[in-house]
Amino acid sequence: MDKKVLSETLQKVREVNPLVHNITNVVVTNFTANGLLALGASPVMAYAAEEVKEMAQLASSLVLNIGTLNPQTVESMILAGKAANEKEIPVLFDPVGAGATNYRTATARKIMNEVKVSIVRGNAAEIANIVGENWKIKGVDAGDTSGDVVNLAIKAAQILNCVVVITGKDDVITDGTTTFLVSNGHQLLTKVTGAGCLLTSVIGAFAGVEKDLLLASTAALAFYGIAAEKAANITAKHGPGSFQIELINQLAMVTPEEITQLAVYEKLQGAELNV
Amino acid sequence: MDKKVLSETLQKVREVNPLVHNITNVVVTNFTANGLLALGASPVMAYAAEEVKEMAQLASSLVLNIGTLNPQTVESMILAGKAANEKEIPVLFDPVGAGATNYRTATARKIMNEVKVSIVRGNAAEIANIVGENWKIKGVDAGDTSGDVVNLAIKAAQILNCVVVITGKDDVITDGTTTFLVSNGHQLLTKVTGAGCLLTSVIGAFAGVEKDLLLASTAALAFYGIAAEKAANITAKHGPGSFQIELINQLAMVTPEEITQLAVYEKLQGAELNV
Amino acid sequence: MDKKVLSETLQKVREVNPLVHNITNVVVTNFTANGLLALGASPVMAYAAEEVKEMAQLASSLVLNIGTLNPQTVESMILAGKAANEKEIPVLFDPVGAGATNYRTATARKIMNEVKVSIVRGNAAEIANIVGENWKIKGVDAGDTSGDVVNLAIKAAQILNCVVVITGKDDVITDGTTTFLVSNGHQLLTKVTGAGCLLTSVIGAFAGVEKDLLLASTAALAFYGIAAEKAANITAKHGPGSFQIELINQLAMVTPEEITQLAVYEKLQGAELNV
């Protein structure tokens, strides 16, 4: 996977304008929609059980996010997910807060069981909580991507049988066999509500135009991280309000050429892994 | 309708601070409320069946928007709409996504049937889907306002017996007899989520202080388009995040005098119409 | 209460990063979460009856806001409130729009009856409507903090047996015995949707780290008012969109030292009160 192919994936998103159907939380809807629009995708939010099957089947990808889950919306997520599965439309899942309450953990597992998820993205704690409480992780809060987190990602991908993306200081992308590490990004992302939720939807946009999901995820993470780096360069001295707005600007402004110049990622060799 | 009367309508909004009751979608609530506040109106969002009748009757206008509809909210919209009708408070309807799913199309038609709507605003595809699938439209996605769209608006106004506003590159406003075309606005509006939803609420603010609904709509569209033009002048090189914020600024900053100077609109003559 | 102790309370918030559980309205969720993050707190929004008890008991404080109330969410608020009470976690209540509809007034009173609220924050009209319609207030809309509003606050604190914060041009904080007046703030706050809602959550963050609730509230109000003053200095000529973003910036930027320099508040003497 060379830089050229990453930058071409961004170009493809901007040419195709994929429709991304989001069933997401009430905190991040506006930010997610504006981020997708800025990038060059077409966001749609639709939640009612009465229409989600139809909407999901119109879309290039479906993003499920349990940030402010409730039983009605979870039912809609499963309906939409199964409808997307029928048409082989990629389904992304963001298990926000899995582990924080029993209801979140149980719901995250239920969605993973009932829907064939293509890509799950979360922090290390969320992913660990989906695959079972016996999995020990260290240094999660610090966004540590030492061997533990890489191993967690690989193990989770094997158990869940999908691509797993764990974001933190560095980001791990794996299908359980092949693993990439992306090092773009900026600490200020942790100061913007929904920066992770929007990222999942951005990966959704890339997965809507590129069937190789490792490539789609790696390209999306490098792109998003570069946008954050540029935004931080411009606004870090002003504060997180300005950074949030400039991040939206940069999602529109980052060019394929900048991906080629600025992407920092590597394929991890099997020797480094210890599952 | 001269420019002076348009600018006086803006002035009236700022003097009266009309209360605009919005039952709208979860993506645009914050942006809509801030836009109305900036303009000089008073937004209120209230959705519960337990209170919407009372709230609607306190308001100067009621705005119904089905962007993230569900059965409970649709019930509330109809209760609120009927309560507004009782007191002859203008009701605006934004049929977001009519045509995208059967549920949206059916709900849009149901609301138009059960509530006496004063002004419906949408893009050409949405309006076409409300008045029936036999109506052929061309060039909708490009925001084309050729004769087809003008004719669609006039036909829809006659069928629906209300003012119809179709927005696109140019905006058509008609009651089925008299038709105006407003040419203010900017392409960047398509890069901001809820720019159309907020516009419907802005028309609601103007309709809350001006009984001539063609005048209220034309003034609101010219005002909103000028705000977008000014915002784009200031921010286009930065990106859509900055444009969104500057649009809110300009809703506060555009003066009645600027309406007089910058409004671009015309009354269409019957000879041009071909219904 | 000297300025040093106010500034130390801000420092404590930034060291502890208290988890603030918000059950709030759909208009302000994003702004509230970003404001809390900027300040240095950890926001969480969780609404489902299935999880609110567990989430509330994980938090340092719980904020209940009825801005877009509905029966399900009100049930969740009461469940969460009682769970917080069990663990003596402070509960803040923002009775948005109490008095505007019967449903809001009744719900506000119901929450005050069923949950032991630690701090209630509203404008004078909202607080008056909670404590009973016989209470006469003057000059509410103008944000008048003449004797009437101070007396209203004290009376309400005695009836409701909690700390009452009434915000307006000046802000009154009282437990019914001891009363403070904070004069920081800026008129532009009235042009930003959810500026009051966010303030309640900011007080929640301070109450999450400081058991003296008069101190926590006074420190939070001075801090928030100073952030608004600084934001207005930078952005007032641009408009309310820029102010909103700069307010988020300043919630991150205001230092404990600036609290010491810029806080304007006083303890009211009993002689001035006339309950």
Side-chain angles (χ1 to χ4, degrees):
Chain A
M1 196 187 294
D2 68 0
K3 291 187 176 188
K4 186 95 184 115
V5 74
L6 295 190
S7 76
E8 284 166 358
T9 311
L10 171 60
Q11 204 150 8
K12 214 190 292 181
V13 173
R14 291 197 173 139
E15 284 161 17
V16 174
N17 307 132
L19 184 69
V20 181
H21 177 194
N22 300 273
I23 303 182
T24 188
N25 69 72
V26 296
V27 186
V28 305
T29 45
N30 185 269
F31 184 59
T32 301
N34 276 323
L36 287 171
L37 269 179
L39 158 61
S42 291
V44 68
M45 275 69 177
Y47 299 80
E50 286 79 0
E51 68 167 352
V52 289
K53 291 196 279 187
E54 204 177 341
M55 192 66 91
Q57 294 194 340
L58 291 170
S60 297
S61 61
L62 171 68
V63 178
L64 309 178
N65 175 307
I66 59 168
T68 53
L69 78 177
N70 61 54
Q72 292 78 6
T73 310
V74 171
E75 185 203 335
S76 289
M77 287 183 191
I78 290 171
L79 287 171
K82 288 182 173 172
N85 286 166
E86 277 173 27
K87 296 254 183 182
E88 299 190 354
I89 293 161
V91 179
L92 290 94
F93 178 45
D94 193 327
V96 181
T101 66
N102 290 321
Y103 179 54
R104 279 174 196 246
T105 309
T107 299
R109 293 179 186 179
K110 178 178 172 162
I111 288 171
M112 291 300 304
N113 281 336
E114 301 200 18
V115 176
K116 175 152 182 37
V117 168
S118 309
I119 304 174
V120 57
R121 188 214 64 84
N123 60 36
E126 290 160 348
I127 300 300
N129 274 287
I130 292 178
V131 293
E133 54 269 84
N134 293 327
W135 186 261
K136 285 277 207 323
I137 51 168
K138 298 171 202 146
V140 165
D141 289 339
D144 185 354
T145 48
S146 62
D148 271 347
V149 173
V150 171
N151 285 340
L152 168 63
I154 293 171
K155 184 85 177 178
Q158 290 171 354
I159 293 172
L160 301 170
N161 195 25
C162 71
V163 170
V164 169
V165 178
I166 297 184
T167 49
K169 187 167 169 303
D170 292 329
D171 306 319
V172 185
I173 301 137
T174 185
D175 60 3
T177 305
T178 306
T179 303
F180 290 90
L181 203 67
V182 175
S183 302
N184 295 108
H186 195 278
Q187 172 70 15
L188 265 174
L189 287 170
T190 64
K191 286 296 186 182
V192 175
T193 289
C197 302
L198 170 54
L199 170 57
T200 305
S201 290
V202 167
I203 301 172
F206 280 70
V209 303
E210 172 53 58
K211 280 174 190 250
D212 177 344
L213 298 179
L214 286 178
L215 167 56
S217 301
T218 304
L221 283 160
F223 164 71
Y224 195 75
I226 291 167
E229 291 166 10
K230 290 182 65 190
N233 276 345
I234 297 170
T235 64
K237 67 179 179 297
H238 297 300
S242 296
F243 173 75
Q244 177 191 7
I245 298 304
E246 190 59 32
L247 180 62
I248 297 288
N249 285 342
Q250 290 302 328
L251 293 177
M253 293 298 172
V254 169
T255 61
E257 291 68 35
E258 287 175 308
I259 303 283
T260 313
Q261 292 159 21
L262 302 172
V264 181
Y265 66 103
E266 58 177 316
K267 185 174 178 176
L268 293 186
Q269 300 308 317
E272 302 178 33
L273 304 180
N274 177 28
V275 181
Chain B
M1 196 186 294
D2 69 1
K3 290 186 176 189
K4 185 92 184 118
V5 74
L6 295 190
S7 77
E8 285 166 359
T9 311
L10 171 60
Q11 204 150 10
K12 216 190 291 180
V13 173
R14 291 194 173 142
E15 284 161 15
V16 173
N17 308 130
L19 184 69
V20 181
H21 177 194
N22 301 273
I23 303 181
T24 188
N25 69 72
V26 296
V27 185
V28 305
T29 45
N30 185 269
F31 185 58
T32 301
N34 275 323
L36 286 171
L37 268 179
L39 156 63
S42 291
V44 68
M45 275 67 180
Y47 299 81
E50 286 79 359
E51 69 168 350
V52 289
K53 291 196 281 187
E54 204 178 340
M55 193 67 91
Q57 294 193 341
L58 291 171
S60 297
S61 61
L62 171 68
V63 178
L64 308 177
N65 176 308
I66 60 168
T68 52
L69 78 177
N70 62 55
Q72 292 77 7
T73 311
V74 171
E75 185 202 335
S76 289
M77 288 185 190
I78 290 171
L79 287 172
K82 288 182 173 172
N85 287 167
E86 276 174 27
K87 296 256 183 180
E88 300 190 353
I89 292 161
V91 178
L92 290 94
F93 179 46
D94 192 327
V96 181
T101 65
N102 289 322
Y103 179 54
R104 278 172 197 248
T105 309
T107 299
R109 291 179 187 179
K110 179 177 172 163
I111 289 171
M112 291 300 305
N113 281 336
E114 299 201 20
V115 176
K116 175 152 183 35
V117 168
S118 308
I119 304 174
V120 57
R121 188 213 66 85
N123 61 35
E126 289 160 348
I127 300 299
N129 274 287
I130 292 178
V131 294
E133 53 268 86
N134 293 326
W135 185 260
K136 283 278 208 322
I137 51 169
K138 298 171 204 148
V140 166
D141 288 340
D144 185 354
T145 46
S146 63
D148 272 346
V149 173
V150 171
N151 285 339
L152 168 62
I154 293 171
K155 185 84 176 180
Q158 289 170 354
I159 293 171
L160 300 171
N161 195 27
C162 71
V163 169
V164 169
V165 177
I166 296 183
T167 48
K169 187 168 169 301
D170 293 329
D171 306 320
V172 185
I173 301 137
T174 184
D175 61 3
T177 305
T178 306
T179 302
F180 290 89
L181 204 66
V182 175
S183 302
N184 295 107
H186 194 278
Q187 173 69 14
L188 265 174
L189 287 170
T190 65
K191 286 294 186 183
V192 176
T193 289
C197 301
L198 170 54
L199 170 57
T200 304
S201 290
V202 167
I203 301 173
F206 280 69
V209 304
E210 172 52 58
K211 281 175 188 248
D212 178 343
L213 298 179
L214 286 177
L215 167 56
S217 301
T218 304
L221 284 160
F223 164 70
Y224 195 75
I226 291 167
E229 291 166 9
K230 289 182 65 191
N233 277 346
I234 296 169
T235 63
K237 68 178 178 299
H238 297 300
S242 296
F243 174 75
Q244 177 191 6
I245 298 304
E246 189 59 32
L247 180 62
I248 297 288
N249 285 343
Q250 290 301 328
L251 293 176
M253 293 298 172
V254 168
T255 61
E257 291 68 34
E258 287 175 308
I259 303 284
T260 313
Q261 291 159 22
L262 302 173
V264 181
Y265 65 102
E266 59 177 316
K267 185 173 177 176
L268 292 186
Q269 300 308 318
E272 302 177 33
L273 304 180
N274 176 28
V275 180
Chain C
M1 197 187 294
D2 67 0
K3 290 186 177 189
K4 186 92 183 119
V5 75
L6 295 190
S7 77
E8 285 166 358
T9 311
L10 171 59
Q11 205 149 8
K12 215 189 292 180
V13 173
R14 292 195 173 141
E15 284 161 15
V16 174
N17 308 132
L19 183 69
V20 182
H21 178 194
N22 301 273
I23 303 181
T24 188
N25 69 73
V26 296
V27 186
V28 306
T29 44
N30 186 268
F31 184 58
T32 300
N34 276 323
L36 286 171
L37 269 179
L39 157 61
S42 291
V44 68
M45 275 66 180
Y47 298 80
E50 286 79 0
E51 69 168 350
V52 290
K53 291 196 279 186
E54 205 177 340
M55 193 66 91
Q57 294 193 340
L58 292 171
S60 298
S61 61
L62 171 68
V63 177
L64 308 177
N65 175 307
I66 60 168
T68 53
L69 77 178
N70 61 55
Q72 291 79 6
T73 310
V74 171
E75 184 202 336
S76 289
M77 288 183 190
I78 291 171
L79 286 172
K82 288 182 173 172
N85 287 166
E86 277 173 26
K87 296 256 184 181
E88 298 190 355
I89 293 161
V91 178
L92 290 94
F93 178 46
D94 192 327
V96 181
T101 65
N102 290 320
Y103 179 54
R104 277 173 197 249
T105 310
T107 300
R109 292 179 187 179
K110 179 178 172 161
I111 289 171
M112 292 299 305
N113 280 336
E114 300 200 19
V115 177
K116 174 148 183 40
V117 169
S118 309
I119 304 174
V120 57
R121 188 214 64 86
N123 62 35
E126 289 160 349
I127 300 300
N129 274 287
I130 292 178
V131 294
E133 53 269 85
N134 293 326
W135 185 262
K136 283 277 207 325
I137 51 168
K138 297 172 204 147
V140 165
D141 289 339
D144 186 354
T145 47
S146 61
D148 271 346
V149 173
V150 171
N151 285 339
L152 168 62
I154 293 171
K155 184 85 177 178
Q158 290 170 353
I159 293 172
L160 301 171
N161 195 25
C162 71
V163 169
V164 169
V165 177
I166 297 183
T167 48
K169 188 168 167 304
D170 293 328
D171 305 320
V172 185
I173 300 137
T174 184
D175 61 2
T177 305
T178 306
T179 303
F180 290 89
L181 204 66
V182 174
S183 302
N184 295 108
H186 195 279
Q187 172 69 15
L188 265 174
L189 287 170
T190 65
K191 286 295 185 182
V192 176
T193 289
C197 301
L198 171 54
L199 170 57
T200 304
S201 290
V202 168
I203 301 173
F206 280 69
V209 303
E210 172 52 58
K211 281 175 189 247
D212 177 345
L213 298 180
L214 286 178
L215 167 57
S217 301
T218 303
L221 284 160
F223 165 70
Y224 195 75
I226 290 167
E229 291 166 10
K230 289 182 65 190
N233 276 346
I234 296 170
T235 63
K237 67 179 178 298
H238 297 300
S242 297
F243 173 74
Q244 177 191 5
I245 298 304
E246 190 59 34
L247 180 62
I248 298 288
N249 286 342
Q250 290 301 327
L251 294 176
M253 294 297 172
V254 168
T255 61
E257 291 68 35
E258 286 174 309
I259 303 283
T260 314
Q261 291 160 21
L262 302 172
V264 181
Y265 66 103
E266 59 177 315
K267 185 173 178 178
L268 292 186
Q269 300 309 316
E272 301 177 32
L273 305 181
N274 178 26
V275 181

